[in-house]
Amino acid sequence: MKHEDEVDRIIADWEAARPDLDFAPLAIFSRMWRVTKHIDRARAHAFERSGLMSWEFDVLAALRRSGEPFRQSPKLLGQQTMVSSGTMTNRIDRMAERELVRRLTDPNDGRGVLVEMMPRGLTLVDAAITRLTDSEERLLSGIPKSERDRLGVLLRRLALSVDRYVPLSEPLGEAETDSEAGRAG
């Protein structure tokens, strides 16, 4: 039994309209775009249920993964979350107001600053990551474990290939990231 999705229909239409082109890349990236939309919704819901915005989770997750005492420089946080220093400063300010993080003087550099996660931030990020892993497990439930492992390997290879041509150090503008360009049709 053949399982077709919306991308199959779109590709068939394009192949009829433009038989001179190879639509294999479009079939892959269109599906990835559609899956990404579902992932974005699931993640936003998991973070919202935990009292966080997606960008707050990104910062807190970077701090949480760093281990105790859950401190990093704003520069390192900006690199890990792929945002500019100005954006990171704004995010830290807003998170400090919510008592999720606080700024400390860097003990190794009196002019430097470190961002430290506060207990409330730790509680919220731990709740969010639990909800996120549960949600993403449900999204993957239709794929057997052995196929998930293979998919992970293939996606890693794709990410490495794409990273060579689209450096992460050059984030797309908001208009470009939310454009119609990601859709198949």
Side-chain angles (χ1 to χ4, degrees):
M1 175 182 197
K2 186 174 180 182
H3 299 282
E4 292 190 356
D5 63 6
E6 183 65 13
V7 174
D8 290 318
R9 186 194 62 76
I10 291 168
I11 297 299
D13 290 348
W14 272 119
E15 286 173 338
R18 291 292 310 269
D20 57 312
L21 296 177
D22 176 10
F23 291 101
L26 188 66
I28 292 167
F29 289 112
S30 295
R31 285 187 177 94
M32 290 177 63
W33 182 83
R34 289 167 182 267
V35 168
T36 298
K37 288 296 191 184
H38 290 291
I39 294 167
D40 288 347
R41 284 187 202 110
R43 286 182 168 202
H45 183 68
F47 302 148
E48 181 182 301
R49 287 182 52 219
S50 301
L52 296 172
M53 302 293 294
S54 294
W55 61 266
E56 291 173 319
F57 174 82
D58 289 344
V59 174
L60 293 174
L63 291 168
R64 180 68 165 107
R65 291 189 314 265
S66 71
E68 289 193 50
F70 310 121
R71 288 183 195 144
Q72 290 190 8
S73 70
K75 180 179 179 178
L76 187 56
L77 288 171
Q79 290 170 347
Q80 290 184 20
T81 59
M82 298 184 297
V83 299
S84 70
S85 61
T87 298
M88 183 51 61
T89 297
N90 183 13
R91 289 179 177 186
I92 293 167
D93 289 344
R94 292 170 63 189
M95 293 175 72
E97 288 174 11
R98 292 192 58 208
E99 298 182 354
L100 301 174
V101 300
R102 66 180 175 165
R103 285 184 174 86
L104 303 171
T105 301
D106 186 339
N108 300 318
D109 176 5
R111 297 172 295 158
V113 172
L114 293 175
V115 177
E116 180 179 74
M117 183 164 41
M118 296 181 69
R120 182 168 188 257
L122 179 61
T123 298
L124 295 180
V125 75
D126 280 351
I129 193 64
T130 299
R131 288 184 172 107
L132 176 62
T133 57
D134 290 347
S135 177
E136 290 183 351
E137 174 62 32
R138 283 191 300 277
L139 292 175
L140 288 171
S141 65
I143 301 174
K145 175 81 170 112
S146 61
E147 290 182 25
R148 292 183 199 186
D149 294 342
R150 180 73 179 136
L151 179 59
V153 168
L154 293 172
L155 288 172
R156 180 184 306 110
R157 288 176 58 193
L158 176 61
L160 291 169
S161 176
V162 170
D163 285 350
R164 280 185 290 177
Y165 299 103
V166 184
L168 292 177
S169 61
E170 299 176 22
L172 297 174
E174 188 172 329
E176 293 171 328
T177 59
D178 201 24
S179 73
E180 299 293 310
R183 290 195 217 172

